[in-house]
Short mmCIF file of all heavy atoms in Angstrom, two decimals:
data_model
loop_
_atom_site.label_atom_id
_atom_site.label_comp_id
_atom_site.label_asym_id
_atom_site.label_seq_id
_atom_site.Cartn_x
_atom_site.Cartn_y
_atom_site.Cartn_z
N ASP A 1 162.42 214.74 45.17
CA ASP A 1 163.66 214.22 44.61
C ASP A 1 163.61 214.29 43.12
O ASP A 1 162.56 213.66 42.55
CB ASP A 1 163.84 212.73 45.15
CG ASP A 1 165.17 212.14 44.66
OD1 ASP A 1 165.64 212.67 43.63
OD2 ASP A 1 165.69 211.18 45.19
N PRO A 2 164.49 214.93 42.34
CA PRO A 2 164.42 215.04 40.88
C PRO A 2 164.25 213.64 40.21
O PRO A 2 163.51 213.57 39.15
CB PRO A 2 165.71 215.70 40.49
CG PRO A 2 166.11 216.45 41.68
CD PRO A 2 165.59 215.68 42.87
N ARG A 3 164.80 212.63 40.81
CA ARG A 3 164.63 211.20 40.20
C ARG A 3 163.16 210.77 40.27
O ARG A 3 162.78 209.97 39.46
CB ARG A 3 165.52 210.27 40.92
CG ARG A 3 167.11 210.50 40.68
CD ARG A 3 167.84 209.70 41.61
NE ARG A 3 167.71 210.04 43.05
CZ ARG A 3 168.34 209.56 44.08
NH1 ARG A 3 169.27 208.61 43.76
NH2 ARG A 3 168.05 209.93 45.23
N GLU A 4 162.44 211.30 41.27
CA GLU A 4 160.96 210.98 41.36
C GLU A 4 160.15 211.86 40.43
O GLU A 4 159.31 211.47 39.66
CB GLU A 4 160.54 211.11 42.82
CG GLU A 4 161.00 210.10 43.80
CD GLU A 4 160.19 208.83 43.73
OE1 GLU A 4 159.01 208.91 43.25
OE2 GLU A 4 160.68 207.75 44.13
N LEU A 5 160.58 213.15 40.41
CA LEU A 5 159.80 214.14 39.62
C LEU A 5 159.83 213.96 38.13
O LEU A 5 158.94 214.18 37.43
CB LEU A 5 160.29 215.55 40.02
CG LEU A 5 159.90 216.12 41.33
CD1 LEU A 5 160.58 217.40 41.62
CD2 LEU A 5 158.31 216.24 41.46
N VAL A 6 160.98 213.42 37.64
CA VAL A 6 161.14 213.26 36.23
C VAL A 6 160.26 212.34 35.64
O VAL A 6 160.07 212.35 34.46
CB VAL A 6 162.70 212.99 35.93
CG1 VAL A 6 162.90 211.47 36.22
CG2 VAL A 6 163.03 213.29 34.50
N ARG A 7 159.68 211.49 36.36
CA ARG A 7 158.72 210.49 35.88
C ARG A 7 157.44 211.16 35.41
O ARG A 7 156.64 210.65 34.63
CB ARG A 7 158.40 209.43 36.97
CG ARG A 7 159.59 208.57 37.33
CD ARG A 7 159.12 207.48 38.28
NE ARG A 7 158.58 207.92 39.49
CZ ARG A 7 157.95 207.23 40.41
NH1 ARG A 7 157.83 205.84 40.22
NH2 ARG A 7 157.43 207.75 41.45
N ASN A 8 157.19 212.35 35.86
CA ASN A 8 156.03 213.10 35.53
C ASN A 8 156.54 214.47 34.84
O ASN A 8 156.70 215.45 35.52
CB ASN A 8 155.13 213.49 36.76
CG ASN A 8 153.85 214.08 36.32
OD1 ASN A 8 153.69 214.68 35.35
ND2 ASN A 8 152.81 213.80 37.21
N PRO A 9 156.62 214.49 33.49
CA PRO A 9 157.24 215.63 32.84
C PRO A 9 156.66 217.00 33.28
O PRO A 9 157.31 218.02 33.37
CB PRO A 9 157.00 215.30 31.34
CG PRO A 9 156.86 213.85 31.34
CD PRO A 9 156.14 213.48 32.60
N VAL A 10 155.32 217.04 33.36
CA VAL A 10 154.65 218.33 33.59
C VAL A 10 154.97 218.83 34.91
O VAL A 10 155.41 220.01 35.09
CB VAL A 10 153.12 218.22 33.43
CG1 VAL A 10 152.34 219.51 33.79
CG2 VAL A 10 152.72 217.76 32.02
N ILE A 11 154.92 218.02 35.97
CA ILE A 11 155.27 218.46 37.28
C ILE A 11 156.76 218.73 37.39
O ILE A 11 157.14 219.54 38.14
CB ILE A 11 154.80 217.40 38.32
CG1 ILE A 11 153.22 217.27 38.19
CG2 ILE A 11 155.11 217.86 39.75
CD1 ILE A 11 152.47 218.54 38.33
N PHE A 12 157.54 217.92 36.71
CA PHE A 12 159.00 218.19 36.67
C PHE A 12 159.24 219.66 36.15
O PHE A 12 160.11 220.31 36.74
CB PHE A 12 159.71 217.19 35.79
CG PHE A 12 161.24 217.38 35.73
CD1 PHE A 12 162.07 217.12 36.84
CD2 PHE A 12 161.77 217.84 34.58
CE1 PHE A 12 163.37 217.25 36.77
CE2 PHE A 12 163.17 218.00 34.46
CZ PHE A 12 163.95 217.77 35.54
N VAL A 13 158.66 219.99 35.07
CA VAL A 13 158.83 221.35 34.56
C VAL A 13 158.33 222.41 35.50
O VAL A 13 159.05 223.39 35.73
CB VAL A 13 158.06 221.51 33.18
CG1 VAL A 13 157.96 222.96 32.68
CG2 VAL A 13 158.70 220.64 32.14
N THR A 14 157.31 222.17 36.19
CA THR A 14 156.82 223.09 37.19
C THR A 14 157.75 223.27 38.34
O THR A 14 158.00 224.36 38.78
CB THR A 14 155.33 222.54 37.81
OG1 THR A 14 154.49 222.34 36.68
CG2 THR A 14 154.86 223.52 38.73
N ALA A 15 158.36 222.15 38.77
CA ALA A 15 159.37 222.14 39.85
C ALA A 15 160.60 222.98 39.37
O ALA A 15 161.19 223.78 40.17
CB ALA A 15 159.80 220.76 40.23
N VAL A 16 161.03 222.72 38.08
CA VAL A 16 162.11 223.53 37.58
C VAL A 16 161.87 224.93 37.58
O VAL A 16 162.68 225.88 37.97
CB VAL A 16 162.54 223.03 36.21
CG1 VAL A 16 163.54 223.97 35.51
CG2 VAL A 16 163.08 221.59 36.20
N VAL A 17 160.64 225.35 37.11
CA VAL A 17 160.19 226.77 37.14
C VAL A 17 160.22 227.31 38.54
O VAL A 17 160.59 228.42 38.87
CB VAL A 17 158.87 226.88 36.46
CG1 VAL A 17 158.29 228.30 36.68
CG2 VAL A 17 158.99 226.57 34.97
N ALA A 18 159.71 226.51 39.51
CA ALA A 18 159.65 226.92 40.92
C ALA A 18 161.06 227.24 41.45
O ALA A 18 161.24 228.18 42.15
CB ALA A 18 158.94 225.87 41.74
N ALA A 19 161.93 226.29 41.06
CA ALA A 19 163.38 226.55 41.53
C ALA A 19 163.95 227.74 40.91
O ALA A 19 164.67 228.53 41.60
CB ALA A 19 164.20 225.31 41.10
N LEU A 20 163.64 228.06 39.63
CA LEU A 20 164.16 229.25 38.98
C LEU A 20 163.62 230.51 39.65
O LEU A 20 164.31 231.51 39.85
CB LEU A 20 163.78 229.22 37.49
CG LEU A 20 164.17 230.44 36.67
CD1 LEU A 20 165.72 230.66 36.69
CD2 LEU A 20 163.68 230.23 35.23
N THR A 21 162.30 230.54 39.92
CA THR A 21 161.79 231.70 40.54
C THR A 21 162.28 231.86 41.94
O THR A 21 162.32 233.03 42.42
CB THR A 21 160.17 231.58 40.63
OG1 THR A 21 159.83 230.43 41.27
CG2 THR A 21 159.64 231.60 39.21
N THR A 22 162.56 230.80 42.60
CA THR A 22 163.15 230.83 43.94
C THR A 22 164.51 231.53 43.89
O THR A 22 164.84 232.48 44.69
CB THR A 22 163.39 229.42 44.51
OG1 THR A 22 162.09 228.80 44.62
CG2 THR A 22 163.99 229.57 45.90
N VAL A 23 165.31 231.20 42.87
CA VAL A 23 166.68 231.86 42.62
C VAL A 23 166.46 233.26 42.31
O VAL A 23 167.17 234.22 42.90
CB VAL A 23 167.39 231.12 41.53
CG1 VAL A 23 168.72 231.93 41.08
CG2 VAL A 23 167.79 229.67 41.91
N LEU A 24 165.54 233.59 41.51
CA LEU A 24 165.28 235.02 41.11
C LEU A 24 164.75 235.86 42.32
O LEU A 24 165.19 237.01 42.55
CB LEU A 24 164.16 235.12 40.03
CG LEU A 24 164.62 234.61 38.69
CD1 LEU A 24 163.57 234.60 37.68
CD2 LEU A 24 165.92 235.31 38.10
N PHE A 25 163.96 235.24 43.18
CA PHE A 25 163.45 235.91 44.39
C PHE A 25 164.62 236.21 45.27
O PHE A 25 164.64 237.34 45.92
CB PHE A 25 162.33 235.02 45.02
CG PHE A 25 161.89 235.61 46.37
CD1 PHE A 25 161.11 236.76 46.36
CD2 PHE A 25 162.21 234.99 47.55
CE1 PHE A 25 160.64 237.24 47.59
CE2 PHE A 25 161.79 235.53 48.76
CZ PHE A 25 161.02 236.64 48.82
N VAL A 26 165.45 235.16 45.55
CA VAL A 26 166.61 235.38 46.49
C VAL A 26 167.51 236.45 45.88
O VAL A 26 167.95 237.31 46.65
CB VAL A 26 167.34 234.01 46.72
CG1 VAL A 26 168.56 234.29 47.45
CG2 VAL A 26 166.40 233.06 47.40
N ARG A 27 167.75 236.42 44.61
CA ARG A 27 168.57 237.43 43.96
C ARG A 27 168.04 238.86 44.18
O ARG A 27 168.75 239.79 44.57
CB ARG A 27 168.78 237.15 42.48
CG ARG A 27 169.66 238.13 41.73
CD ARG A 27 169.35 238.18 40.25
NE ARG A 27 168.01 238.77 40.05
CZ ARG A 27 167.43 238.90 38.86
NH1 ARG A 27 168.04 238.51 37.78
NH2 ARG A 27 166.22 239.39 38.72
N ASP A 28 166.74 238.97 43.88
CA ASP A 28 166.15 240.34 44.02
C ASP A 28 166.04 240.79 45.48
O ASP A 28 166.05 241.97 45.74
CB ASP A 28 164.66 240.35 43.43
CG ASP A 28 164.78 240.23 41.92
OD1 ASP A 28 165.86 240.36 41.30
OD2 ASP A 28 163.70 240.00 41.28
N LEU A 29 165.89 239.80 46.38
CA LEU A 29 165.84 240.18 47.80
C LEU A 29 167.12 240.75 48.27
O LEU A 29 167.09 241.69 49.06
CB LEU A 29 165.60 238.81 48.61
CG LEU A 29 165.30 239.03 50.07
CD1 LEU A 29 164.09 239.80 50.36
CD2 LEU A 29 165.22 237.60 50.80
N PHE A 30 168.27 240.31 47.66
CA PHE A 30 169.56 240.83 48.12
C PHE A 30 170.05 241.97 47.24
O PHE A 30 170.84 242.81 47.59
CB PHE A 30 170.61 239.78 48.09
CG PHE A 30 170.48 238.75 49.20
CD1 PHE A 30 169.83 237.51 49.00
CD2 PHE A 30 170.88 239.06 50.55
CE1 PHE A 30 169.69 236.63 50.09
CE2 PHE A 30 170.75 238.16 51.55
CZ PHE A 30 170.09 236.95 51.37
N THR A 31 169.49 242.10 46.05
CA THR A 31 170.00 243.13 45.11
C THR A 31 168.94 244.36 45.06
O THR A 31 169.17 245.37 44.43
CB THR A 31 170.18 242.67 43.69
OG1 THR A 31 168.86 242.26 43.22
CG2 THR A 31 171.14 241.55 43.67
N GLY A 32 167.82 244.15 45.70
CA GLY A 32 166.81 245.21 45.62
C GLY A 32 166.04 245.25 44.39
O GLY A 32 165.45 246.29 44.07
N GLY A 33 166.15 244.14 43.55
CA GLY A 33 165.36 244.13 42.36
C GLY A 33 165.88 245.02 41.26
O GLY A 33 165.14 245.73 40.61
N THR A 34 167.19 245.04 41.13
CA THR A 34 167.80 245.95 40.12
C THR A 34 168.39 245.19 38.93
O THR A 34 169.11 245.72 38.16
CB THR A 34 168.95 246.76 40.81
OG1 THR A 34 169.87 245.93 41.34
CG2 THR A 34 168.34 247.60 41.86
N GLY A 35 168.04 243.88 38.91
CA GLY A 35 168.60 242.98 37.71
C GLY A 35 167.97 243.51 36.38
O GLY A 35 167.10 244.27 36.27
N PRO A 36 168.69 243.03 35.29
CA PRO A 36 168.20 243.33 33.98
C PRO A 36 166.72 243.05 33.69
O PRO A 36 166.22 243.65 32.75
CB PRO A 36 169.26 242.62 33.10
CG PRO A 36 169.74 241.51 33.93
CD PRO A 36 169.75 242.00 35.34
N ASP A 37 166.18 242.01 34.30
CA ASP A 37 164.89 241.53 34.02
C ASP A 37 163.88 241.95 35.18
O ASP A 37 162.83 241.35 35.33
CB ASP A 37 164.86 240.07 33.81
CG ASP A 37 165.38 239.28 34.98
OD1 ASP A 37 165.92 239.91 35.93
OD2 ASP A 37 165.28 238.05 34.95
N ALA A 38 164.34 242.95 35.99
CA ALA A 38 163.48 243.36 37.04
C ALA A 38 162.24 243.99 36.58
O ALA A 38 162.20 244.42 35.37
CB ALA A 38 164.34 244.20 38.08
N GLY A 39 161.35 244.27 37.40
CA GLY A 39 160.13 244.99 36.93
C GLY A 39 158.88 244.41 37.77
O GLY A 39 157.83 245.04 37.78
N ALA A 40 159.10 243.24 38.32
CA ALA A 40 158.12 242.65 39.08
C ALA A 40 158.22 243.08 40.55
O ALA A 40 159.35 243.07 41.03
CB ALA A 40 157.99 241.19 38.97
N ASN A 41 157.15 243.38 41.26
CA ASN A 41 157.21 243.63 42.63
C ASN A 41 157.77 242.47 43.41
O ASN A 41 157.38 241.28 43.12
CB ASN A 41 155.79 244.01 43.20
CG ASN A 41 155.78 244.35 44.64
OD1 ASN A 41 155.97 243.51 45.53
ND2 ASN A 41 155.41 245.58 44.91
N LEU A 42 158.70 242.73 44.34
CA LEU A 42 159.35 241.60 45.04
C LEU A 42 158.41 240.70 45.81
O LEU A 42 158.52 239.45 45.84
CB LEU A 42 160.36 242.15 46.04
CG LEU A 42 161.26 241.08 46.84
CD1 LEU A 42 162.13 240.35 45.83
CD2 LEU A 42 162.15 241.88 47.87
N ALA A 43 157.32 241.32 46.37
CA ALA A 43 156.31 240.67 47.07
C ALA A 43 155.56 239.65 46.06
O ALA A 43 155.21 238.55 46.41
CB ALA A 43 155.30 241.53 47.74
N VAL A 44 155.39 240.13 44.85
CA VAL A 44 154.55 239.35 43.81
C VAL A 44 155.47 238.16 43.53
O VAL A 44 154.97 237.01 43.31
CB VAL A 44 154.23 240.21 42.66
CG1 VAL A 44 153.74 239.31 41.53
CG2 VAL A 44 153.22 241.26 43.01
N VAL A 45 156.78 238.36 43.25
CA VAL A 45 157.68 237.31 42.98
C VAL A 45 157.69 236.25 44.13
O VAL A 45 157.64 235.10 43.82
CB VAL A 45 159.07 237.83 42.75
CG1 VAL A 45 160.16 236.63 42.52
CG2 VAL A 45 159.19 238.80 41.60
#
């Protein structure tokens, strides 16, 4: 729960980053990794 995570800034940032990479992974999964910032292997992402 973000209300719990925000009490620990470092882990909150890690969770935000994890959420962002999740979005990028789902995007590349459906677009075949053709986005403007593509370049990483989908499996690695």
Side-chain angles (χ1 to χ4, degrees):
D1 184 337
R3 292 169 297 184
E4 290 277 339
L5 287 172
V6 77
R7 295 186 302 171
N8 190 329
V10 175
I11 300 305
F12 178 73
V13 169
T14 306
V16 170
V17 168
L20 176 60
T21 58
T22 302
V23 171
L24 294 176
F25 174 71
V26 172
R27 182 204 64 182
D28 290 349
L29 185 64
F30 287 100
T31 63
T34 59
D37 56 354
N41 184 290
L42 185 62
V44 173
V45 176

